[in-house]
Amino acid sequence: MAATFSIMDGHLDAPRAPAPEGRVVFSRLPRGESAIVAAATSMKYVLEGEERYEIDGVIRVVEAGHILIVEPGVGMRAILPRSQITTGACVYLPGRPAAASEPCSEFAALLGRSIVIPGSGSVLGAVLRAAARAMASGRAPRDPDRLLRRAGGGLSCLVRDADTRMDRLSALKASTRRELLRRLEVARHYLHTRPDRAVPLGELAVQAGLSQFHLARSFREVYDRPPAAYHSALRLDAAARFLQRGRGSSADAAEQFGFSDPRAFARAFQRRHGRSPAVFARN
């Protein structure tokens, strides 16, 4: 049987029946609550609004641009606290319902029974964001099975990346490394959403819920460079795309991406891309 696609525009009093073949859902929901059981691994990408999920007695907040990933067999209560309509895409991967006695998967061992992660900077985020935007514009997925395969592949990439990154952290306990990685991903996502200016370390530390020292040290362990250097590279790459598309001059790019000194921008761009902004734009 093929995976199914449906639109959810009302809340559920009871969980849906399992879908062993997989399911894709576009949700367009008002304020309210729904009862859900993730019979198979599921991923929810919030496109607009905010959703909250009570899982294992803990409230997980999923803001726009974030993804909730839930292990099979996890029961939860979805809570939409705000009056405006919230939209998003949910994919339930194919698979039989998990028994409570079954050992946890590789995903659960690394990331826990549920986790909220930023959608930016990952294959999974790109897949779910594109699907959610298409469905929001009225385009149902022509091949839900293909979408589920791509989402499953993105999840596998995420697990491999998490495994590699957690191994780089110096904390001893796996639970400590997992929570620290979650906070670092929050910080990384914050940098991805602020391409127009430099972000002070203190501001970033507040977002991650870490001290500046702990954030700087751990961020470098995981991503191979300090937060400021990581963010500068993001902004210089965005400037390169800006110039490549002919959207403005070198001075325009410097202003657009938060470099107050055009000459300093040109030097940083040369180091990053091997050419001056003017030469890059011409070629």
Side-chain angles (χ1 to χ4, degrees), residues 25-94:
V25 179
F26 177 70
S27 61
R28 187 187 294 114
L29 293 170
R31 182 175 182 175
E33 299 183 7
S34 290
I36 302 171
V37 173
T41 301
S42 64
M43 292 160 271
K44 175 62 180 284
Y45 178 86
V46 175
L47 186 63
E48 294 180 326
E50 175 187 290
E51 299 184 10
R52 300 179 185 181
Y53 290 82
E54 184 179 0
I55 304 171
D56 296 333
V58 176
I59 297 294
R60 298 199 176 276
V61 179
V62 190
E63 299 175 336
H66 285 65
I67 305 168
L68 170 69
I69 308 174
V70 182
E71 265 290 283
V74 175
M76 53 189 152
R77 187 166 58 103
I79 307 166
L80 276 66
R82 298 183 179 177
S83 56
Q84 79 267 27
I85 298 295
T86 299
T87 60
C90 189
V91 298
Y92 296 84
L93 297 182

Short mmCIF file of all heavy atoms in Angstrom, two decimals, residues 25-94:
data_model
loop_
_atom_site.label_atom_id
_atom_site.label_comp_id
_atom_site.label_asym_id
_atom_site.label_seq_id
_atom_site.Cartn_x
_atom_site.Cartn_y
_atom_site.Cartn_z
N VAL A 25 0.83 14.60 6.55
CA VAL A 25 -0.30 15.41 6.99
C VAL A 25 0.09 16.88 6.92
O VAL A 25 1.16 17.27 7.41
CB VAL A 25 -0.72 15.06 8.42
CG1 VAL A 25 -1.88 15.94 8.88
CG2 VAL A 25 -1.10 13.58 8.53
N PHE A 26 -0.79 17.68 6.33
CA PHE A 26 -0.63 19.13 6.42
C PHE A 26 -1.66 19.63 7.42
O PHE A 26 -2.85 19.38 7.28
CB PHE A 26 -0.86 19.82 5.07
CG PHE A 26 -0.78 21.32 5.15
CD1 PHE A 26 0.43 21.95 5.39
CD2 PHE A 26 -1.92 22.10 5.03
CE1 PHE A 26 0.51 23.33 5.50
CE2 PHE A 26 -1.85 23.49 5.12
CZ PHE A 26 -0.63 24.10 5.36
N SER A 27 -1.19 20.30 8.47
CA SER A 27 -2.10 20.76 9.52
C SER A 27 -2.32 22.26 9.40
O SER A 27 -1.41 23.03 9.16
CB SER A 27 -1.52 20.43 10.91
OG SER A 27 -0.28 21.08 11.10
N ARG A 28 -3.58 22.64 9.58
CA ARG A 28 -3.99 24.05 9.59
C ARG A 28 -4.99 24.17 10.74
O ARG A 28 -6.18 23.96 10.58
CB ARG A 28 -4.63 24.43 8.25
CG ARG A 28 -4.95 25.92 8.11
CD ARG A 28 -5.72 26.21 6.85
NE ARG A 28 -4.96 25.95 5.64
CZ ARG A 28 -5.24 25.00 4.76
NH1 ARG A 28 -6.26 24.20 4.96
NH2 ARG A 28 -4.51 24.86 3.67
N LEU A 29 -4.47 24.49 11.94
CA LEU A 29 -5.25 24.30 13.15
C LEU A 29 -5.45 25.58 13.95
O LEU A 29 -4.53 26.40 14.06
CB LEU A 29 -4.57 23.26 14.04
CG LEU A 29 -4.52 21.83 13.49
CD1 LEU A 29 -3.61 20.98 14.34
CD2 LEU A 29 -5.92 21.25 13.41
N PRO A 30 -6.64 25.74 14.53
CA PRO A 30 -6.89 26.86 15.46
C PRO A 30 -6.42 26.49 16.86
O PRO A 30 -5.86 25.41 17.09
CB PRO A 30 -8.41 27.00 15.41
CG PRO A 30 -8.88 25.59 15.21
CD PRO A 30 -7.84 24.93 14.32
N ARG A 31 -6.67 27.35 17.79
CA ARG A 31 -6.34 27.10 19.19
C ARG A 31 -7.08 25.85 19.67
O ARG A 31 -8.24 25.63 19.32
CB ARG A 31 -6.74 28.31 20.02
CG ARG A 31 -6.42 28.21 21.49
CD ARG A 31 -6.75 29.52 22.17
NE ARG A 31 -6.42 29.49 23.59
CZ ARG A 31 -6.50 30.52 24.40
NH1 ARG A 31 -6.93 31.69 23.92
NH2 ARG A 31 -6.18 30.42 25.67
N GLY A 32 -6.39 25.03 20.46
CA GLY A 32 -7.03 23.82 20.97
C GLY A 32 -6.00 22.76 21.29
O GLY A 32 -4.80 23.02 21.34
N GLU A 33 -6.49 21.52 21.51
CA GLU A 33 -5.62 20.41 21.89
C GLU A 33 -6.00 19.16 21.10
O GLU A 33 -7.16 18.98 20.74
CB GLU A 33 -5.72 20.12 23.39
CG GLU A 33 -5.29 21.28 24.27
CD GLU A 33 -5.33 20.92 25.75
OE1 GLU A 33 -5.56 19.73 26.06
OE2 GLU A 33 -5.12 21.82 26.59
N SER A 34 -4.99 18.29 20.87
CA SER A 34 -5.21 17.01 20.20
C SER A 34 -4.45 15.91 20.92
O SER A 34 -3.36 16.15 21.44
CB SER A 34 -4.73 17.06 18.74
OG SER A 34 -5.56 17.88 17.95
N ALA A 35 -5.04 14.72 20.93
CA ALA A 35 -4.37 13.54 21.47
C ALA A 35 -3.69 12.80 20.32
O ALA A 35 -4.32 12.54 19.29
CB ALA A 35 -5.37 12.63 22.17
N ILE A 36 -2.41 12.47 20.48
CA ILE A 36 -1.64 11.86 19.40
C ILE A 36 -0.78 10.75 19.98
O ILE A 36 -0.25 10.86 21.08
CB ILE A 36 -0.72 12.90 18.72
CG1 ILE A 36 -1.54 14.07 18.16
CG2 ILE A 36 0.10 12.27 17.60
CD1 ILE A 36 -0.68 15.22 17.67
N VAL A 37 -0.66 9.66 19.22
CA VAL A 37 0.31 8.61 19.52
C VAL A 37 1.14 8.40 18.26
O VAL A 37 0.59 8.13 17.19
CB VAL A 37 -0.36 7.29 19.94
CG1 VAL A 37 0.70 6.19 20.06
CG2 VAL A 37 -1.09 7.45 21.26
N ALA A 38 2.45 8.54 18.40
CA ALA A 38 3.33 8.34 17.26
C ALA A 38 3.62 6.84 17.16
O ALA A 38 4.56 6.33 17.77
CB ALA A 38 4.63 9.13 17.43
N ALA A 39 2.79 6.13 16.40
CA ALA A 39 2.98 4.68 16.26
C ALA A 39 4.29 4.36 15.56
O ALA A 39 4.90 3.33 15.81
CB ALA A 39 1.80 4.09 15.49
N ALA A 40 4.71 5.25 14.66
CA ALA A 40 6.01 5.13 14.00
C ALA A 40 6.76 6.43 14.21
O ALA A 40 6.21 7.41 14.70
CB ALA A 40 5.82 4.84 12.51
N THR A 41 8.04 6.45 13.85
CA THR A 41 8.82 7.68 13.99
C THR A 41 8.13 8.81 13.23
O THR A 41 7.77 8.65 12.06
CB THR A 41 10.24 7.49 13.45
OG1 THR A 41 10.86 6.43 14.17
CG2 THR A 41 11.06 8.75 13.60
N SER A 42 7.94 9.94 13.88
CA SER A 42 7.23 11.06 13.25
C SER A 42 8.03 12.33 13.40
O SER A 42 8.82 12.49 14.35
CB SER A 42 5.83 11.24 13.85
OG SER A 42 5.93 11.60 15.21
N MET A 43 7.81 13.25 12.46
CA MET A 43 8.50 14.54 12.45
C MET A 43 7.49 15.62 12.12
O MET A 43 6.76 15.51 11.14
CB MET A 43 9.62 14.53 11.41
CG MET A 43 10.78 13.61 11.74
SD MET A 43 11.78 13.19 10.30
CE MET A 43 10.92 11.73 9.72
N LYS A 44 7.44 16.67 12.93
CA LYS A 44 6.53 17.79 12.70
C LYS A 44 7.34 19.06 12.48
O LYS A 44 8.14 19.45 13.32
CB LYS A 44 5.59 17.96 13.90
CG LYS A 44 4.66 19.19 13.80
CD LYS A 44 3.73 19.07 12.59
CE LYS A 44 2.78 20.24 12.45
NZ LYS A 44 1.67 20.18 13.40
N TYR A 45 7.11 19.69 11.33
CA TYR A 45 7.75 20.97 11.02
C TYR A 45 6.69 22.06 11.13
O TYR A 45 5.66 21.99 10.45
CB TYR A 45 8.34 20.96 9.62
CG TYR A 45 8.99 22.27 9.22
CD1 TYR A 45 10.31 22.54 9.54
CD2 TYR A 45 8.27 23.25 8.54
CE1 TYR A 45 10.90 23.74 9.19
CE2 TYR A 45 8.85 24.46 8.19
CZ TYR A 45 10.17 24.69 8.51
OH TYR A 45 10.76 25.89 8.17
N VAL A 46 6.92 23.05 11.99
CA VAL A 46 5.97 24.15 12.15
C VAL A 46 6.35 25.26 11.18
O VAL A 46 7.46 25.79 11.23
CB VAL A 46 5.97 24.67 13.60
CG1 VAL A 46 5.06 25.89 13.72
CG2 VAL A 46 5.49 23.57 14.55
N LEU A 47 5.41 25.58 10.30
CA LEU A 47 5.65 26.61 9.30
C LEU A 47 5.30 27.99 9.83
O LEU A 47 6.06 28.95 9.67
CB LEU A 47 4.83 26.30 8.04
CG LEU A 47 5.05 27.20 6.83
CD1 LEU A 47 6.49 27.10 6.32
CD2 LEU A 47 4.07 26.83 5.71
N GLU A 48 4.14 28.12 10.45
CA GLU A 48 3.70 29.39 11.02
C GLU A 48 3.05 29.12 12.38
O GLU A 48 2.32 28.15 12.56
CB GLU A 48 2.68 30.08 10.11
CG GLU A 48 3.24 30.54 8.78
CD GLU A 48 2.17 31.20 7.92
OE1 GLU A 48 0.99 30.76 8.00
OE2 GLU A 48 2.49 32.14 7.20
N GLY A 49 3.33 30.03 13.34
CA GLY A 49 2.72 29.90 14.65
C GLY A 49 3.63 29.18 15.64
O GLY A 49 4.85 29.14 15.48
N GLU A 50 3.02 28.61 16.65
CA GLU A 50 3.75 27.90 17.70
C GLU A 50 2.89 26.75 18.21
O GLU A 50 1.68 26.89 18.39
CB GLU A 50 4.07 28.85 18.85
CG GLU A 50 4.73 28.18 20.05
CD GLU A 50 4.87 29.12 21.24
OE1 GLU A 50 5.69 30.04 21.14
OE2 GLU A 50 4.14 28.92 22.24
N GLU A 51 3.52 25.60 18.42
CA GLU A 51 2.84 24.44 18.96
C GLU A 51 3.59 23.94 20.19
O GLU A 51 4.81 24.08 20.28
CB GLU A 51 2.74 23.33 17.92
CG GLU A 51 1.95 23.73 16.68
CD GLU A 51 1.78 22.60 15.69
OE1 GLU A 51 2.10 21.44 16.05
OE2 GLU A 51 1.33 22.86 14.56
N ARG A 52 2.84 23.37 21.13
CA ARG A 52 3.45 22.80 22.32
C ARG A 52 2.99 21.35 22.45
O ARG A 52 1.84 21.03 22.16
CB ARG A 52 3.06 23.61 23.56
CG ARG A 52 3.51 25.06 23.49
CD ARG A 52 3.10 25.85 24.71
NE ARG A 52 3.45 27.26 24.56
CZ ARG A 52 3.24 28.19 25.46
NH1 ARG A 52 2.65 27.87 26.61
NH2 ARG A 52 3.59 29.45 25.24
N TYR A 53 3.90 20.51 22.91
CA TYR A 53 3.60 19.10 23.05
C TYR A 53 3.98 18.63 24.45
O TYR A 53 5.11 18.84 24.89
CB TYR A 53 4.37 18.28 22.01
CG TYR A 53 3.89 18.50 20.60
CD1 TYR A 53 4.31 19.59 19.86
CD2 TYR A 53 2.98 17.62 20.01
CE1 TYR A 53 3.85 19.81 18.57
CE2 TYR A 53 2.52 17.83 18.72
CZ TYR A 53 2.95 18.93 18.01
OH TYR A 53 2.49 19.15 16.73
N GLU A 54 3.01 18.02 25.13
CA GLU A 54 3.29 17.42 26.42
C GLU A 54 3.70 15.97 26.19
O GLU A 54 2.90 15.15 25.74
CB GLU A 54 2.08 17.49 27.33
CG GLU A 54 2.37 16.96 28.73
CD GLU A 54 1.16 17.05 29.64
OE1 GLU A 54 0.11 17.53 29.20
OE2 GLU A 54 1.29 16.63 30.80
N ILE A 55 4.97 15.66 26.46
CA ILE A 55 5.53 14.34 26.22
C ILE A 55 6.26 13.90 27.47
O ILE A 55 7.16 14.60 27.95
CB ILE A 55 6.50 14.35 25.03
CG1 ILE A 55 5.80 14.90 23.77
CG2 ILE A 55 7.07 12.97 24.76
CD1 ILE A 55 6.76 15.15 22.62
N ASP A 56 5.89 12.76 28.01
CA ASP A 56 6.53 12.24 29.22
C ASP A 56 6.53 13.27 30.35
O ASP A 56 7.50 13.39 31.11
CB ASP A 56 7.97 11.80 28.93
CG ASP A 56 8.03 10.65 27.93
OD1 ASP A 56 7.05 9.88 27.87
OD2 ASP A 56 9.05 10.53 27.23
N GLY A 57 5.45 14.04 30.44
CA GLY A 57 5.31 15.03 31.50
C GLY A 57 6.08 16.32 31.29
O GLY A 57 6.09 17.18 32.17
N VAL A 58 6.71 16.46 30.12
CA VAL A 58 7.51 17.66 29.82
C VAL A 58 6.86 18.39 28.64
O VAL A 58 6.43 17.77 27.66
CB VAL A 58 8.96 17.28 29.47
CG1 VAL A 58 9.76 18.50 29.06
CG2 VAL A 58 9.62 16.60 30.66
N ILE A 59 6.78 19.72 28.72
CA ILE A 59 6.25 20.52 27.62
C ILE A 59 7.39 20.90 26.70
O ILE A 59 8.39 21.49 27.12
CB ILE A 59 5.57 21.81 28.14
CG1 ILE A 59 4.36 21.45 29.00
CG2 ILE A 59 5.14 22.69 26.96
CD1 ILE A 59 3.22 20.78 28.25
N ARG A 60 7.25 20.55 25.43
CA ARG A 60 8.24 20.91 24.41
C ARG A 60 7.59 21.95 23.49
O ARG A 60 6.54 21.68 22.89
CB ARG A 60 8.71 19.70 23.63
CG ARG A 60 9.41 18.65 24.50
CD ARG A 60 10.25 17.71 23.68
NE ARG A 60 10.99 16.76 24.51
CZ ARG A 60 12.16 17.02 25.07
NH1 ARG A 60 12.70 18.21 24.91
NH2 ARG A 60 12.78 16.11 25.79
N VAL A 61 8.22 23.11 23.38
CA VAL A 61 7.72 24.20 22.56
C VAL A 61 8.36 24.11 21.17
O VAL A 61 9.58 24.02 21.04
CB VAL A 61 8.05 25.57 23.18
CG1 VAL A 61 7.53 26.69 22.31
CG2 VAL A 61 7.44 25.65 24.59
N VAL A 62 7.51 24.11 20.14
CA VAL A 62 7.98 24.03 18.75
C VAL A 62 7.58 25.33 18.06
O VAL A 62 6.41 25.52 17.71
CB VAL A 62 7.39 22.82 18.01
CG1 VAL A 62 8.10 22.62 16.66
CG2 VAL A 62 7.51 21.56 18.86
N GLU A 63 8.53 26.21 17.88
CA GLU A 63 8.27 27.49 17.21
C GLU A 63 8.37 27.32 15.70
O GLU A 63 8.83 26.29 15.20
CB GLU A 63 9.27 28.54 17.69
CG GLU A 63 9.21 28.81 19.18
CD GLU A 63 10.30 29.76 19.63
OE1 GLU A 63 11.34 29.84 18.94
OE2 GLU A 63 10.11 30.44 20.65
N ALA A 64 7.93 28.34 14.97
CA ALA A 64 8.03 28.32 13.52
C ALA A 64 9.48 28.12 13.11
O ALA A 64 10.40 28.72 13.67
CB ALA A 64 7.49 29.61 12.93
N GLY A 65 9.69 27.23 12.12
CA GLY A 65 11.03 26.95 11.65
C GLY A 65 11.73 25.84 12.43
O GLY A 65 12.89 25.55 12.15
N HIS A 66 11.04 25.21 13.39
CA HIS A 66 11.62 24.14 14.18
C HIS A 66 10.92 22.81 13.87
O HIS A 66 9.81 22.78 13.33
CB HIS A 66 11.52 24.44 15.67
CG HIS A 66 12.50 25.46 16.14
ND1 HIS A 66 12.47 26.77 15.72
CD2 HIS A 66 13.55 25.37 17.00
CE1 HIS A 66 13.46 27.45 16.30
NE2 HIS A 66 14.13 26.62 17.08
N ILE A 67 11.59 21.73 14.27
CA ILE A 67 11.10 20.38 14.00
C ILE A 67 11.02 19.62 15.32
O ILE A 67 11.96 19.63 16.11
CB ILE A 67 12.04 19.61 13.05
CG1 ILE A 67 12.26 20.39 11.75
CG2 ILE A 67 11.49 18.22 12.74
CD1 ILE A 67 13.40 19.83 10.91
N LEU A 68 9.90 18.95 15.54
CA LEU A 68 9.76 18.00 16.64
C LEU A 68 9.92 16.60 16.05
O LEU A 68 9.23 16.24 15.09
CB LEU A 68 8.39 18.13 17.29
CG LEU A 68 8.03 17.03 18.29
CD1 LEU A 68 8.89 17.12 19.55
CD2 LEU A 68 6.54 17.08 18.64
N ILE A 69 10.82 15.81 16.62
CA ILE A 69 11.01 14.42 16.19
C ILE A 69 10.65 13.53 17.37
O ILE A 69 11.12 13.74 18.49
CB ILE A 69 12.46 14.15 15.76
CG1 ILE A 69 12.91 15.18 14.72
CG2 ILE A 69 12.60 12.74 15.19
CD1 ILE A 69 14.37 15.08 14.34
N VAL A 70 9.81 12.52 17.11
CA VAL A 70 9.29 11.68 18.18
C VAL A 70 9.50 10.22 17.81
O VAL A 70 9.26 9.80 16.67
CB VAL A 70 7.79 11.95 18.41
CG1 VAL A 70 7.27 11.10 19.57
CG2 VAL A 70 7.55 13.42 18.71
N GLU A 71 9.95 9.46 18.79
CA GLU A 71 10.18 8.03 18.61
C GLU A 71 8.86 7.26 18.54
O GLU A 71 7.83 7.74 19.03
CB GLU A 71 10.99 7.51 19.80
CG GLU A 71 12.49 7.45 19.55
CD GLU A 71 12.83 6.37 18.56
OE1 GLU A 71 12.84 5.20 18.91
OE2 GLU A 71 13.10 6.74 17.40
N PRO A 72 8.88 6.06 17.95
CA PRO A 72 7.66 5.24 17.89
C PRO A 72 7.12 4.91 19.27
O PRO A 72 7.87 4.72 20.23
CB PRO A 72 8.13 3.96 17.18
CG PRO A 72 9.34 4.37 16.42
CD PRO A 72 9.99 5.43 17.23
N GLY A 73 5.79 4.88 19.36
CA GLY A 73 5.13 4.47 20.59
C GLY A 73 4.97 5.55 21.63
O GLY A 73 4.47 5.29 22.72
N VAL A 74 5.38 6.78 21.33
CA VAL A 74 5.31 7.87 22.31
C VAL A 74 3.95 8.55 22.22
O VAL A 74 3.55 9.02 21.15
CB VAL A 74 6.44 8.89 22.07
CG1 VAL A 74 6.28 10.09 23.00
CG2 VAL A 74 7.80 8.24 22.27
N GLY A 75 3.24 8.60 23.32
CA GLY A 75 1.98 9.32 23.38
C GLY A 75 2.22 10.78 23.77
O GLY A 75 3.13 11.08 24.54
N MET A 76 1.41 11.66 23.22
CA MET A 76 1.62 13.09 23.51
C MET A 76 0.30 13.84 23.37
O MET A 76 -0.66 13.35 22.77
CB MET A 76 2.67 13.68 22.58
CG MET A 76 2.42 13.45 21.12
SD MET A 76 3.83 13.93 20.10
CE MET A 76 3.63 12.83 18.70
N ARG A 77 0.31 15.04 23.92
CA ARG A 77 -0.82 15.95 23.79
C ARG A 77 -0.34 17.21 23.10
O ARG A 77 0.56 17.89 23.58
CB ARG A 77 -1.39 16.26 25.18
CG ARG A 77 -2.67 17.07 25.18
CD ARG A 77 -3.32 17.01 26.56
NE ARG A 77 -2.42 17.51 27.59
CZ ARG A 77 -2.52 18.72 28.15
NH1 ARG A 77 -3.47 19.56 27.77
NH2 ARG A 77 -1.68 19.11 29.08
N ALA A 78 -0.91 17.50 21.92
CA ALA A 78 -0.55 18.70 21.18
C ALA A 78 -1.40 19.86 21.68
O ALA A 78 -2.62 19.74 21.77
CB ALA A 78 -0.78 18.50 19.68
N ILE A 79 -0.74 20.97 22.01
CA ILE A 79 -1.43 22.13 22.57
C ILE A 79 -1.10 23.34 21.72
O ILE A 79 0.07 23.71 21.57
CB ILE A 79 -0.97 22.39 24.02
CG1 ILE A 79 -1.13 21.12 24.87
CG2 ILE A 79 -1.74 23.55 24.62
CD1 ILE A 79 -0.40 21.18 26.19
N LEU A 80 -2.12 23.94 21.12
CA LEU A 80 -1.94 25.17 20.36
C LEU A 80 -2.51 26.31 21.19
O LEU A 80 -3.73 26.46 21.30
CB LEU A 80 -2.65 25.08 19.01
CG LEU A 80 -1.84 24.39 17.90
CD1 LEU A 80 -1.63 22.90 18.21
CD2 LEU A 80 -2.53 24.53 16.55
N PRO A 81 -1.63 27.10 21.82
CA PRO A 81 -2.10 28.06 22.82
C PRO A 81 -2.57 29.38 22.25
O PRO A 81 -3.18 30.17 22.97
CB PRO A 81 -0.85 28.26 23.69
CG PRO A 81 0.28 28.08 22.73
CD PRO A 81 -0.17 27.04 21.73
N ARG A 82 -2.26 29.67 21.00
CA ARG A 82 -2.53 31.00 20.47
C ARG A 82 -3.76 31.00 19.58
O ARG A 82 -4.15 29.98 19.02
CB ARG A 82 -1.31 31.51 19.71
CG ARG A 82 -0.08 31.64 20.61
CD ARG A 82 1.10 32.21 19.88
NE ARG A 82 2.24 32.34 20.77
CZ ARG A 82 3.44 32.76 20.39
NH1 ARG A 82 3.64 33.09 19.12
NH2 ARG A 82 4.43 32.86 21.25
N SER A 83 -4.33 32.18 19.42
CA SER A 83 -5.61 32.28 18.71
C SER A 83 -5.44 32.19 17.20
O SER A 83 -6.36 31.80 16.50
CB SER A 83 -6.30 33.60 19.07
OG SER A 83 -5.46 34.71 18.79
N GLN A 84 -4.25 32.55 16.66
CA GLN A 84 -4.11 32.51 15.22
C GLN A 84 -3.94 31.08 14.71
O GLN A 84 -3.54 30.19 15.46
CB GLN A 84 -2.92 33.37 14.75
CG GLN A 84 -1.56 32.73 14.92
CD GLN A 84 -0.89 33.09 16.21
OE1 GLN A 84 -1.58 33.39 17.19
NE2 GLN A 84 0.42 33.07 16.24
N ILE A 85 -4.24 30.86 13.44
CA ILE A 85 -4.09 29.56 12.83
C ILE A 85 -2.61 29.19 12.77
O ILE A 85 -1.76 29.99 12.38
CB ILE A 85 -4.70 29.54 11.42
CG1 ILE A 85 -6.21 29.84 11.49
CG2 ILE A 85 -4.45 28.20 10.73
CD1 ILE A 85 -7.01 28.79 12.22
N THR A 86 -2.30 27.95 13.15
CA THR A 86 -0.94 27.42 13.07
C THR A 86 -0.88 26.40 11.94
O THR A 86 -1.77 25.56 11.81
CB THR A 86 -0.55 26.74 14.39
OG1 THR A 86 -0.58 27.71 15.43
CG2 THR A 86 0.85 26.16 14.31
N THR A 87 0.16 26.49 11.12
CA THR A 87 0.30 25.57 10.00
C THR A 87 1.61 24.81 10.10
O THR A 87 2.58 25.29 10.69
CB THR A 87 0.26 26.30 8.65
OG1 THR A 87 1.34 27.25 8.60
CG2 THR A 87 -1.06 27.03 8.46
N GLY A 88 1.63 23.63 9.50
CA GLY A 88 2.85 22.83 9.50
C GLY A 88 2.65 21.53 8.76
O GLY A 88 1.55 21.20 8.31
N ALA A 89 3.73 20.77 8.64
CA ALA A 89 3.70 19.48 7.97
C ALA A 89 4.21 18.41 8.92
O ALA A 89 5.18 18.63 9.65
CB ALA A 89 4.57 19.51 6.72
N CYS A 90 3.52 17.28 8.93
CA CYS A 90 3.93 16.15 9.76
C CYS A 90 4.09 14.92 8.88
O CYS A 90 3.24 14.66 8.00
CB CYS A 90 2.89 15.88 10.84
SG CYS A 90 3.44 14.66 12.06
N VAL A 91 5.18 14.20 9.06
CA VAL A 91 5.38 12.96 8.33
C VAL A 91 5.55 11.82 9.33
O VAL A 91 6.27 11.95 10.32
CB VAL A 91 6.59 13.03 7.38
CG1 VAL A 91 6.40 14.10 6.33
CG2 VAL A 91 7.89 13.27 8.13
N TYR A 92 4.82 10.73 9.07
CA TYR A 92 4.93 9.51 9.86
C TYR A 92 5.62 8.48 8.98
O TYR A 92 5.07 8.07 7.94
CB TYR A 92 3.55 9.00 10.28
CG TYR A 92 2.80 9.94 11.20
CD1 TYR A 92 2.05 10.99 10.68
CD2 TYR A 92 2.84 9.77 12.58
CE1 TYR A 92 1.36 11.85 11.53
CE2 TYR A 92 2.16 10.62 13.43
CZ TYR A 92 1.41 11.65 12.89
OH TYR A 92 0.74 12.51 13.72
N LEU A 93 6.80 8.08 9.35
CA LEU A 93 7.55 7.13 8.53
C LEU A 93 6.89 5.77 8.54
O LEU A 93 6.21 5.40 9.50
CB LEU A 93 8.98 7.02 9.03
CG LEU A 93 9.83 8.30 8.95
CD1 LEU A 93 11.24 8.01 9.44
CD2 LEU A 93 9.86 8.86 7.55
N PRO A 94 7.05 4.99 7.47
CA PRO A 94 6.48 3.64 7.44
C PRO A 94 7.07 2.78 8.55
O PRO A 94 8.21 2.96 8.96
CB PRO A 94 6.88 3.11 6.06
CG PRO A 94 7.23 4.32 5.26
CD PRO A 94 7.76 5.32 6.23
#
